[in-house]
Amino acid sequence: MKIIVTGGAGFIGSNFVIHMVKKYPEHEIVNLDLLTYAGNLENLTEVEKAPNYKFIRGDIADRKFVFDLFEQEKPDIIVNFAAESHVDRSITDPESFVRTNVMGTTTLLDACKEYGIKRFHQVSTDEVYGDLPLDRPDLFFTEETPLHTSSPYSSSKASADLFVMAYHRTFGIPVTISRCSNNYGPYQFPEKLIPLIISRALADEELPVYGTGENVRDWLHVSDHCVAIDLILEKGRVGEVYNIGGHNERTNLEVVKTILKALDKPESLIRFVKDRPGHDRRYAIDPTKMETELGWKPQYVFDTGMKQTIQWYLDNKEWWEHIVNGEYTKYFEKMYGERL
Ligand code: NAD
Ligand code: DAU
């Protein structure tokens, strides 16, 4: 089997590529990534010399490039992680989200239609369901929850999902979609909450918490997400959506305080800043379908997963330090300058 993983140099994509290259030496894993600011080949040093691994640089929204690639590689499976993934960036630059997340996905689907494919798997997000109220802990997102998006990011991901389903129904493309909750773990770009807080706390810098810090996210270790997608490729039913989450709901403030405690840093570093426009209040996944139909169960509990993740950032300072000290400083000033 030849599997093209798009966005395989990003956070979850690189964890997935490593998982697949190691677990399936008989499969060829092709990592297709544009290497935007979020793509980093250093994430893949562990597998870069593996005989069943290959990297190709390219843009999923470049039709000629994608069609030539299909012609040449003749993939059996596509797993589409490639995306603009940061909500705050989608508020300042929605168009790049439409281009990659929507047009990129339809370009890949068109190539599947032209050349044939055994499976197209779309890596989607729980954000397509919008948010849940904070005072209704009994409510969860199921696969039947209507799409109801808040940000340009989630709107672009929901649009892509609709196209994926339309290509299944209209053209018979064998698709699956997974919608996962917030991931944490190694190689997450330090613009996202957990690595941002770890890196800034270690430098004794102020920690920006949006609004009151009461918004809730449902955290899942990236390895559990990768295993879930692997299972969907193996046993998932074509045309189906699978929600992935491990019932690990925490307020943002709880997450920040957990990190401060683990690093032995004072809570006085916390700085409440202007809220994210349209900020989703609570995400919470009901993973019953993954559990009952595919037998998936997350392996990580949040506390140990977080301890290991914090340790990973301590052990791999050079990985994130050059990001934090480089171009990214300009982003931080631009993004947070008006909030503080
Ligand atoms: P990321 O931003 O870390 O990585 C995205 C990768 O896509 C990067 O390597 C980037 O270079 C690549 N890319 C961007 N535009 C491209 C293009 N036009 N062509 C080819 N490659 C391109 O993202 P992530 O956090 O690893 O998320 C991966 C996927 O999982 C996304 O589709 C996201 O919507 C979804 N998701 C993320 C989370 C999360 O918590 N991070 C949760 C659920 C779903
Ligand atoms: O739910 C899945 C989604 O999780 C994915 O689809 C997205 O790609 C991924 O980025 C993530 O989106 P969030 O917006 O939930 O993640 P982020 O890390 O940006 O923020 C998590 C929470 O922390 C959110 O409520 C906003 C808050 N936050 C974030 C940042 C960056 C802060 O309070 N301060 C910050 O500086």
Side-chain angles (χ1 to χ4, degrees):
M1 285 276 209
K2 186 177 279 194
I3 305 174
I4 295 186
V5 179
T6 73
F11 163 45
I12 311 173
S14 60
N15 277 280
F16 183 74
V17 165
I18 294 169
H19 167 86
M20 296 297 280
V21 168
K22 286 180 160 176
K23 187 171 168 198
Y24 300 107
E26 70 281 18
H27 293 341
E28 269 181 85
I29 311 297
V30 179
N31 176 4
L32 161 60
D33 198 295
L34 183 58
L35 300 183
T36 67
Y37 79 93
N40 186 349
L41 289 178
E42 280 176 41
N43 302 6
L44 295 143
T45 14
E46 212 179 323
V47 294
E48 68 189 0
K49 293 200 172 69
N52 62 334
Y53 170 74
K54 177 160 87 179
F55 173 72
I56 298 176
R57 186 172 191 185
D59 181 352
I60 59 163
D62 177 341
R63 184 163 286 264
K64 178 165 181 345
F65 164 77
V66 169
F67 275 57
D68 287 350
L69 180 80
F70 270 66
E71 180 95 51
Q72 225 174 306
E73 297 291 335
K74 303 185 174 37
D76 298 292
I77 294 176
I78 302 289
V79 184
N80 185 28
F81 286 93
E84 287 295 336
S85 69
H86 192 38
V87 173
D88 291 326
R89 287 184 192 255
S90 83
I91 295 166
T92 52
D93 175 26
E95 199 175 328
S96 59
F97 286 69
V98 176
R99 186 179 182 280
T100 290
N101 301 2
V102 186
M103 302 289 285
T105 302
T106 56
T107 304
L108 291 170
L109 288 165
D110 279 338
C112 293
K113 178 156 92 66
E114 179 74 19
Y115 295 97
I117 200 79
K118 292 197 176 83
R119 178 74 68 85
F120 178 91
H121 182 75
Q122 175 70 1
V123 181
S124 186
T125 168
D126 60 357
E127 297 200 14
V128 300
Y129 299 122
D131 64 352
L132 297 164
L134 291 175
D135 59 356
R136 289 292 306 274
D138 54 315
L139 295 180
F140 296 91
F141 297 137
T142 73
E143 289 78 2
E144 275 69 51
T145 303
L147 304 189
H148 188 84
T149 58
S150 313
S151 69
Y153 163 70
S154 54
S155 305
S156 67
K157 293 296 289 185
S159 307
D161 285 10
L162 292 174
F163 276 103
V164 171
M165 281 311 183
Y167 273 62
H168 172 60
R169 176 155 173 166
T170 308
F171 306 114
I173 310 286
V175 306
T176 39
I177 295 179
S178 54
R179 294 182 179 144
C180 189
S181 62
N182 285 62
N183 282 211
Y184 68 97
Y187 300 120
Q188 187 166 30
F189 195 85
E191 66 186 348
K192 305 283 167 63
L193 182 70
I194 289 177
L196 178 101
I197 298 299
I198 296 172
S199 57
R200 290 185 66 82
L202 284 171
D204 295 309
E205 289 168 335
E206 282 185 337
L207 311 176
V209 172
Y210 298 166
T212 58
E214 283 163 325
N215 301 58
V216 170
R217 295 294 181 265
D218 184 1
W219 294 97
L220 187 76
H221 193 277
V222 63
S223 304
D224 285 322
H225 188 184
C226 294
V227 169
I229 294 174
D230 181 2
L231 256 181
I232 295 169
L233 293 179
E234 195 195 336
K235 296 195 209 156
R237 283 181 296 136
V238 159
E240 292 291 315
V241 173
Y242 293 91
N243 282 357
I244 307 171
H247 287 300
N248 274 311
E249 288 180 51
R250 298 285 187 283
T251 66
N252 294 337
L253 208 48
E254 282 171 331
V255 171
V256 173
K257 286 183 179 174
T258 302
I259 296 168
L260 286 173
K261 197 161 171 227
L263 295 176
D264 198 21
K265 296 286 182 182
E267 290 185 8
S268 56
L269 287 176
I270 294 173
R271 170 96 182 255
F272 292 98
V273 300
K274 206 166 137 201
D275 210 352
R276 171 185 280 173
H279 198 174
D280 281 336
R281 292 160 296 174
R282 169 176 170 250
Y283 303 144
I285 283 276
D286 175 353
T288 306
K289 186 171 173 182
M290 277 300 298
E291 291 174 352
T292 52
E293 197 179 306
L294 304 185
W296 175 82
K297 267 247 173 289
Q299 296 304 306
Y300 281 83
V301 285
F302 187 71
D303 291 348
T304 34
M306 273 298 284
K307 273 198 194 110
Q308 280 180 23
T309 301
I310 293 168
Q311 193 56 48
W312 187 89
Y313 282 90
L314 286 170
D315 295 341
N316 292 276
K317 270 190 175 174
E318 58 312 337
W319 179 86
W320 54 266
E321 264 176 357
H322 85 257
I323 300 173
V324 170
N325 297 332
E327 266 299 296
Y328 176 66
T329 32
K330 288 188 205 141
Y331 162 86
F332 193 86
E333 277 155 24
K334 186 171 166 242
M335 191 60 83
Y336 290 84
E338 299 149 17
R339 286 189 199 273
L340 297 170

